[in-house]
Amino acid sequence: MHCQSLPGVRTRHRNIDIMIIRENTEGEYSSLEHENVPGVVECLKIITKTKSLRIADYAFRTARAKGRGRVTAVHKANIMVCVDGSLFLECCKEVAGGYPEITFDSMIVDNTTMQLVSRPQQFDVMVMPNLYGNVVSNVCAGLVGGPGLVPGANYGEDYAVFETGTRNTGKSIANQNTANPTAMLLASCLLLDHLRLHAYASMIRRAILSTVSETRLHTADLGGQGSTSEVVRSVMSAVQSTGPLTLSI
Amino acid sequence: MAGKAWRSSILNLLRQWGLSLNGKDKIKAQEVSRVVGALMKDTPQPRTFTRGIQTVTLIPGDGIGPEISTAVMEIFDAAKAPIQWEERNVTAIQGPGGKWMIPPDAKESMDRNKIGLKGPLKTPIAAGHPSMNLLLRKTFDLYANVRPCVSIEGYKTPYTDVNLVTIRENTEGEYSGIEHLIVDGVVQSIKLITEQASQRIAEYAFEYARNNQRASVTAVHKANIMRMSDGLFLRKCREAAENHKDVKFTEMYLDTVCLNMVQDPTQFDVLVMPNLYGDILSDLCAGLIGGLGVTPSGNIGANGVAIFESVHGTAPDIAGKDMANPTALLLSAVMMLRHMGLHGHAKKIETACFDIIRDKKVLTKDLGGNSKCSEFTGAICQRVRDLD
């Protein structure tokens, strides 16, 4: 997930630009629970070397590709000595060795959240296991303006799925033409980038950013009264005004 | 007991019941929930109540611990608080059978006094023995960690009007420390949730809300993913809610709480949650009000034991240089006074502390000034005396 401060959106913190890379297949979400004795439930958190190396590798490759200088691993190794410390953190350190131009450091998750709400500008790329990833991505999404603005991308060996970053369904505001389409639209730009259709991706992204910077078009989640259809129309006309590549509708 | 002591113990008892002879420290309802609220309604009759003075176990801790403990003792002295300190050290020692434990004299002192104030303790990453904080927790069964987070007037952060309390289950959950290497390259950690512990913390959260006039309790969980474990926790919270219909009960997913907390923290009141989420959220909330240097914390245990502590680190880089900020330990000590029913003294010390921070003339480095710890302490002592 890429959390970036957007122009025209007023938030408590400015100049945030954090890439969050969250391991999405194991960890605390392994869904392995059992009740051995009535009243005592055990839930297993599994961390494997293969997946830790894989996610660390992805993080560093992405950092290098995007020219980012620092990767921070988020963990709780002082308490979960084996899973977070000996395994996850060690895997990250191992991969870091192969990318000498990128600074690698680590931070304990509770300190991370505290730092995020006081000085989020210090973070660049962050990599972490599943649960902390959930927490940190939601904190960052909140910091840049909320769930309506942040796109998310899920990458696998054979598939890639793009969606809104915080995965909220927004049941309470469904079908009222008040939802903020920005997150979904930006996610579609990530899809275009993934398909290497960069020209289209940039064109649409520029149109979205110019729309979001106009306060009068802000939807309810940003404190405005604009409607979903107005925002979409504005993005479409911004796209159409960029040149002969677009079809007039 | 001699005449003067008899009078002061009667006064203390009256203060506990919210009355006062001279009207000076009448406890107002809204004051109780202000900043660092009292933790229990029926404050247990202190065991060591000699001549009206309550004895409290003091654990100075490591690093800046001794300096800030001295600061707190000085301020309490200036406020003439009826507290006598019994200093104890808690370095881990290995008992018979190789089991790590805290020194027996420390344990004996806590068991006797029931109330403790603790400075920061070193948590070694690989020293052969478990962290001291963990040992204390296990020894006294400190099951609830309570952290009231209220914005401090005078110490600006991007978040204003924060006024919430995080109550974290502190004995089990993800921090059970049960880890295994299954096969090479696969490690598992077990998160343990028990009915008993969940019930205990849920009951405590509602009792706290009731005693401190808090309107609602929100259970934070991830029961959509961890169906059985967080599901059990949630069930227990719902049951406790049934027994406390006067307090509003809501449930919210952990990620939603995080998302909303950084956008609008005013929507939250009391939050109750298992260990890991509690750790993350309580630090998040501490960050909202200015960090661990200004956040108080209390741990409630079984058998009436309560240990109040500063939750920041030992800051070895500034230890011994008279640069430390005693605010966190001081506010925790104020929380302790309220727990013991000494509301008058608590209010006096708290007001003095906030006044000095608001004045901004004498502040330690982390608060944005460049005064020494002793100067900051001196200013608070002076203000306390002036308030008399």
Side-chain angles (χ1 to χ4, degrees), chain B residues 11-20 24-44 76 79 81-83 208 211-213 333-352 387:
Chain B
L11 278 177
N12 271 343
L13 219 51
L14 286 173
R15 278 191 207 109
Q16 275 181 29
W17 296 335
L19 309 165
S20 81
K24 190 168 70 159
D25 47 16
K26 202 174 178 65
I27 311 160
K28 299 186 208 39
Q30 57 268 31
E31 271 187 22
V32 175
S33 62
R34 173 84 179 84
V35 190
V36 282
L39 291 168
M40 273 162 58
K41 189 176 180 183
D42 314 303
T43 316
F76 268 50
I83 303 287
Y208 179 90
N211 295 339
N212 292 278
Q213 282 94 44
V334 167
M335 213 174 156
M336 178 186 80
L337 286 173
R338 288 209 163 95
H339 178 81
M340 299 184 336
L342 298 167
H343 298 279
H345 292 98
K347 187 91 187 112
K348 205 165 45 174
I349 298 173
E350 188 190 66
T351 312
L387 282 172

Side-chain angles (χ1 to χ4, degrees), chain A residues 12 29 33 39 41-43 45 47-49 76 80-83 87 110 114 131 134 138-139 142 145-146, chain B residues 158-159 175 179 185 187-189 191 193-195 222 226-229 255 259 262-263 276 279 283 287:
Chain A
R12 289 182 178 89
Y29 289 19
E33 297 176 289
V41 177
E42 287 185 353
C43 171
K45 164 179 170 169
I47 301 276
T48 59
K49 190 165 179 181
K76 190 80 193 167
M80 300 202 224
V81 180
C82 298
V83 287
L87 201 46
D110 42 10
M114 218 178 345
L131 180 69
N134 190 344
N138 276 274
V139 169
Chain B
Y159 299 89
Y175 291 10
E179 295 181 297
V187 186
Q188 100 182 358
S189 164
K191 162 178 166 167
I193 299 280
T194 60
E195 194 173 334
K222 267 219 82 72
M226 300 195 228
R227 300 238 162 103
M228 277 172 101
S229 34
D255 40 9
L259 188 60
V262 296
Q263 295 183 283
L276 176 66
D279 191 3
D283 276 7

Side-chain angles (χ1 to χ4, degrees), chain B residues 56-123:
Chain B
V56 164
T57 307
L58 174 68
I59 301 167
D62 308 309
I64 55 172
E67 325 170 34
I68 54 177
S69 304
T70 314
V72 171
M73 287 197 280
E74 274 174 31
I75 296 170
F76 268 50
D77 202 42
K80 300 202 208 48
I83 303 287
Q84 188 172 277
W85 307 97
E86 210 172 77
E87 268 189 56
R88 288 288 179 269
N89 198 348
V90 285
T91 9
I93 57 166
Q94 215 160 10
K99 193 161 157 234
W100 289 100
M101 51 189 225
I102 66 170
D105 62 335
K107 181 167 193 313
E108 183 266 335
S109 169
M110 263 316 295
D111 283 335
R112 194 172 10 96
N113 298 326
K114 298 290 181 192
I115 313 280
L117 184 67
K118 173 178 98 59
L121 291 174
K122 276 199 298 251
T123 296

Side-chain angles (χ1 to χ4, degrees), chain B residues 43 138 194 223 299 305 355 384:
Chain B
T43 316
K138 290 225 148 89
T194 60
N299 298 290
V305 169
D355 279 352
V384 161

Side-chain angles (χ1 to χ4, degrees), chain B residues 244-386:
Chain B
H244 296 82
K245 288 260 162 70
D246 49 330
V247 178
K248 185 167 154 226
F249 174 66
T250 47
E251 311 166 359
M252 215 186 246
Y253 291 135
L254 173 66
D255 40 9
T256 314
V257 172
C258 288
L259 188 60
N260 294 342
M261 181 73 77
V262 296
Q263 295 183 283
D264 180 23
T266 59
Q267 60 186 284
F268 296 104
D269 195 349
V270 177
L271 298 162
V272 64
M273 55 216 126
N275 218 335
L276 176 66
Y277 313 152
D279 191 3
I280 300 177
L281 271 181
S282 56
D283 276 7
L284 181 75
C285 297
L288 297 176
I289 62 165
L292 297 180
V294 293
T295 309
S297 173
N299 298 290
I300 307 301
N303 302 321
V305 169
I307 302 185
F308 300 86
E309 59 174 351
S310 59
V311 285
H312 50 72
T314 52
D317 48 336
I318 58 168
K321 295 186 185 159
D322 200 15
M323 285 169 66
N325 178 0
T327 306
L329 192 62
L330 186 64
L331 290 179
S332 303
V334 167
M335 213 174 156
M336 178 186 80
L337 286 173
R338 288 209 163 95
H339 178 81
M340 299 184 336
L342 298 167
H343 298 279
H345 292 98
K347 187 91 187 112
K348 205 165 45 174
I349 298 173
E350 188 190 66
T351 312
C353 181
F354 287 162
D355 279 352
I356 299 299
I357 296 180
R358 200 184 319 122
D359 285 347
K360 292 195 214 244
K361 287 199 214 104
V362 188
L363 291 176
T364 47
K365 188 141 179 273
D366 60 315
L367 291 174
N370 45 23
S371 303
K372 301 211 200 87
C373 174
S374 43
E375 289 166 0
F376 184 67
T377 311
I380 300 181
C381 290
Q382 187 56 48
R383 182 57 61 95
V384 161
R385 281 185 217 111
D386 292 341

Side-chain angles (χ1 to χ4, degrees), chain B residues 43-66:
Chain B
T43 316
Q45 194 53 245
R47 301 294 160 90
T48 44
F49 215 113
T50 36
R51 291 184 284 113
I53 298 180
Q54 162 77 20
T55 313
V56 164
T57 307
L58 174 68
I59 301 167
D62 308 309
I64 55 172

Side-chain angles (χ1 to χ4, degrees), chain A residues 99-114:
Chain A
Y99 295 80
E101 81 277 15
I102 299 178
T103 319
F104 170 68
D105 57 7
S106 62
M107 202 183 265
I108 301 184
V109 62
D110 42 10
N111 189 19
T112 308
T113 48
M114 218 178 345

Side-chain angles (χ1 to χ4, degrees), chain B residues 95-218:
Chain B
K99 193 161 157 234
W100 289 100
M101 51 189 225
I102 66 170
D105 62 335
K107 181 167 193 313
E108 183 266 335
S109 169
M110 263 316 295
D111 283 335
R112 194 172 10 96
N113 298 326
K114 298 290 181 192
I115 313 280
L117 184 67
K118 173 178 98 59
L121 291 174
K122 276 199 298 251
T123 296
I125 292 215
H129 65 78
S131 91
M132 287 316 305
N133 293 310
L134 201 60
L135 271 181
L136 277 172
R137 229 168 274 150
K138 290 225 148 89
T139 314
F140 299 108
D141 199 16
L142 300 173
Y143 66 91
N145 177 254
V146 184
R147 223 185 263 190
C149 292
V150 182
S151 289
I152 296 181
E153 211 184 316
Y155 188 45
K156 271 196 75 56
T157 61
Y159 299 89
T160 53
D161 302 329
V162 180
N163 187 359
L164 52 90
V165 182
T166 56
I167 298 182
R168 157 193 178 190
E169 203 292 322
N170 217 1
T171 59
E172 54 173 30
E174 301 82 347
Y175 291 10
S176 307
I178 313 170
E179 295 181 297
H180 314 96
L181 179 72
I182 311 288
V183 292
D184 197 26
V186 179
V187 186
Q188 100 182 358
S189 164
I190 298 186
K191 162 178 166 167
L192 205 63
I193 299 280
T194 60
E195 194 173 334
Q196 193 197 19
S198 304
Q199 186 173 0
R200 192 165 59 166
I201 194 71
E203 283 291 330
Y204 179 78
F206 280 95
E207 281 301 318
Y208 179 90
R210 193 180 261 173
N211 295 339
N212 292 278
Q213 282 94 44
R214 307 293 306 205
S216 72
V217 171
T218 306

